[in-house]
Amino acid sequence: MYDSPHRRFNPLTGESVLVSPHRAKRPWQGQVEKSSTENLPHYDPTCYLCPRNERVGGVTNPDYKAAFAFDNDFAALLPDEVQAPASTHPLLASVSERGLCRVVCFSPRHDLTLPELDLAAVENVIATWTEQTVDLSRKNFIHYVQVFENKGAVMGCSNPHPHSQVWASEHIPNEPAKELERQKAYFAQNGRTLLSDYLAEEHKRNERILFANEHFTALVPYWAVWPFETMIVAHRNAAYLSELTPAEVSALAEIMKRVTTRYDNLFEVSFPYSMGFHQAPFDGQPHPEWTLHAHFYPPLLRSATVRKFMVGYEMLAMPQRDITPETAAERLRSLSDTHYKHESN
Ligand code: H2U
Ligand code: ZN
């Protein structure tokens, strides 16, 4: 294994990460602590996401039985047409932004996270993300739809009831915009998509792959920044969730359940992360360069209580990691597909 400091290039964003494998040899200081398993009720009368309960805005949730989407009562983006803020100097530039924000509860169950839902329920969540994406993208002022889940209090998630969000915006946000530019340039130069070539190479090397099914591969990317960062990449060049066949949706549900189960098993804790799908923009252009994928960015480093902080050098210079993506992949590969809460001892 190459263990001198080096930079790894992220071809999707054009940014680099500093890898310092030699530092991982320093003594293991963090304890692997089992934090007491939170025992959440199936239904919480005080939860604004549970069925039949009232939300902050005064609306009452229906007695929903599957995934449930609603307009965010505190939306960061608003659909109203407004006048652009006055730009009085090129160095003080701004434009108005329109959009819509929705919340998607995974199920009526207050206590079941993605890995604990059965496959049919995960498929139902994917179907709901797809419907929401299609519905929002039909509005003529919407050009990007970001589906994401913020999980765990350390990620700033405000409610333990498993839920995700969908934000649709007029402009293409920073991360998808970088990926668009890089994937387009690669496709123009090579006539193949960046991520299909990358997947082929990763399958050949088999160092960072966690597992694959017929339609998707889960891996720790070569350029991962977060200790246990992963990506789920579609095998086919689908650019949107709505292009997936029923068999592909099942395969996506299966691989998401596997990834999140392994995450929970890593430190035997409900593993926090931010995850989201990168679909192509809805800008009226064809997107043959784009491969549908999801990123998982989990903050935990050594245990349920020791997290990685993106501070200091990372805020001022560039991201850095000690444990290599290969080591992270190996650890995630060695775990069971049975959720630790269901393991009989
Ligand atoms: P997060 O915890 O991932 O931030 O999601 C909770 C979202 O739910 C948050 O965006 C919304 C918040 O605005 N919300 C409502 O729409 N209605 C409520 O009654 C409370 C919270
Ligand atoms: Zn709830």
Side-chain angles (χ1 to χ4, degrees):
M1 191 182 75
Y2 186 80
D3 65 359
S4 302
H6 60 283
R7 284 164 64 121
R8 295 193 187 190
F9 182 71
N10 180 342
L12 270 176
T13 60
E15 287 158 8
S16 294
V17 53
L18 175 64
V19 187
S20 317
H22 62 291
R23 278 183 99 203
K25 285 184 195 146
R26 77 201 147 133
W28 190 266
Q29 286 164 328
Q31 272 296 111
V32 178
E33 287 169 47
K34 282 194 191 180
S35 55
S36 57
T37 355
E38 332 82 276
N39 262 324
L40 293 173
H42 293 195
Y43 166 80
D44 176 354
T46 68
C47 167
Y48 55 74
L49 297 180
C50 273
R52 306 179 301 280
N53 292 354
E54 197 179 312
R55 297 206 302 272
V56 179
V59 183
T60 300
N61 292 326
D63 190 10
Y64 66 93
K65 305 290 182 201
F68 165 58
F70 65 90
D71 283 317
N72 195 315
D73 299 305
F74 303 96
L77 291 156
L78 300 169
D80 322 299
E81 220 166 328
V82 291
Q83 224 181 340
S87 288
T88 50
H89 191 280
L91 293 179
L92 305 172
S94 53
V95 290
S96 62
E97 182 71 278
R98 298 169 72 191
L100 290 140
C101 299
R102 294 195 177 140
V103 177
V104 175
C105 298
F106 290 167
S107 85
R109 288 283 295 267
H110 186 76
D111 58 332
L112 295 183
T113 60
L114 210 55
E116 299 166 280
L117 291 170
D118 62 32
L119 273 182
V122 181
E123 286 173 18
N124 175 248
V125 171
I126 297 169
T128 308
W129 287 332
T130 307
E131 277 162 31
Q132 290 301 315
T133 303
V134 169
D135 179 58
L136 291 162
S137 67
R138 284 209 179 112
K139 304 191 188 291
N140 61 4
F141 63 94
I142 293 300
H143 298 116
Y144 199 76
V145 179
Q146 182 61 58
V147 172
F148 66 98
E149 178 190 6
N150 241 357
K151 179 172 175 254
V154 301
M155 296 309 287
C157 179
S158 60
N159 187 313
H161 191 124
H163 68 281
S164 55
Q165 300 195 45
V166 185
W167 290 23
S169 58
E170 180 180 357
H171 295 96
I172 304 172
N174 298 352
E175 295 304 311
K178 285 184 259 180
E179 291 194 355
L180 176 63
E181 203 181 305
R182 311 279 324 173
Q183 289 182 100
K184 260 189 170 169
Y186 189 94
F187 189 76
Q189 200 170 10
N190 302 284
R192 295 178 311 272
T193 73
L194 190 160
L195 282 176
S196 59
D197 275 7
Y198 174 61
L199 262 195
E201 198 54 37
E202 286 290 19
H203 274 285
K204 234 186 270 170
R205 294 169 185 248
N206 207 21
E207 286 175 307
R208 285 167 294 270
I209 306 262
L210 301 189
F211 31 76
N213 57 31
E214 199 184 336
H215 302 294
F216 290 89
T217 293
L219 51 79
V220 177
Y222 180 73
W223 53 82
V225 165
W226 293 94
F228 295 97
E229 178 176 333
T230 57
M231 261 176 99
I232 294 176
V233 186
H235 290 179
R236 185 165 67 83
N237 275 326
Y240 301 104
L241 285 169
S242 60
E243 288 174 63
L244 301 182
T245 64
E248 286 171 322
V249 170
S250 299
L252 179 56
E254 193 257 352
I255 209 158
M256 289 185 75
K257 195 172 150 80
R258 274 183 97 182
V259 168
T260 53
T261 297
R262 303 259 181 142
Y263 272 162
D264 280 10
N265 287 345
L266 184 62
F267 301 129
E268 300 204 351
V269 66
S270 184
F271 203 69
Y273 57 71
S274 281
M275 72 80 61
F277 284 90
H278 279 151
Q279 310 185 69
F282 296 94
D283 54 1
Q285 308 288 319
H287 286 286
E289 78 287 348
W290 197 285
T291 307
L292 175 72
H293 60 278
H295 297 277
F296 283 81
Y297 300 129
L300 293 186
L301 175 61
R302 290 179 181 174
S303 70
T305 51
V306 180
R307 61 161 295 175
K308 173 185 175 63
F309 287 97
M310 289 274 242
V311 294
Y313 193 75
E314 330 209 88
M315 288 181 94
L316 275 305
M318 71 190 295
Q320 182 270 341
R321 64 179 295 139
D322 298 346
I323 162 184
T324 63
E326 295 71 42
T327 306
E330 208 176 286
R331 289 193 62 188
L332 289 169
R333 251 198 316 265
S334 71
L335 298 163
S336 165
D337 279 326
T338 305
H339 197 274
Y340 71 91
K341 284 190 190 167
H342 302 149
E343 221 134 60
S344 48
N345 3 270

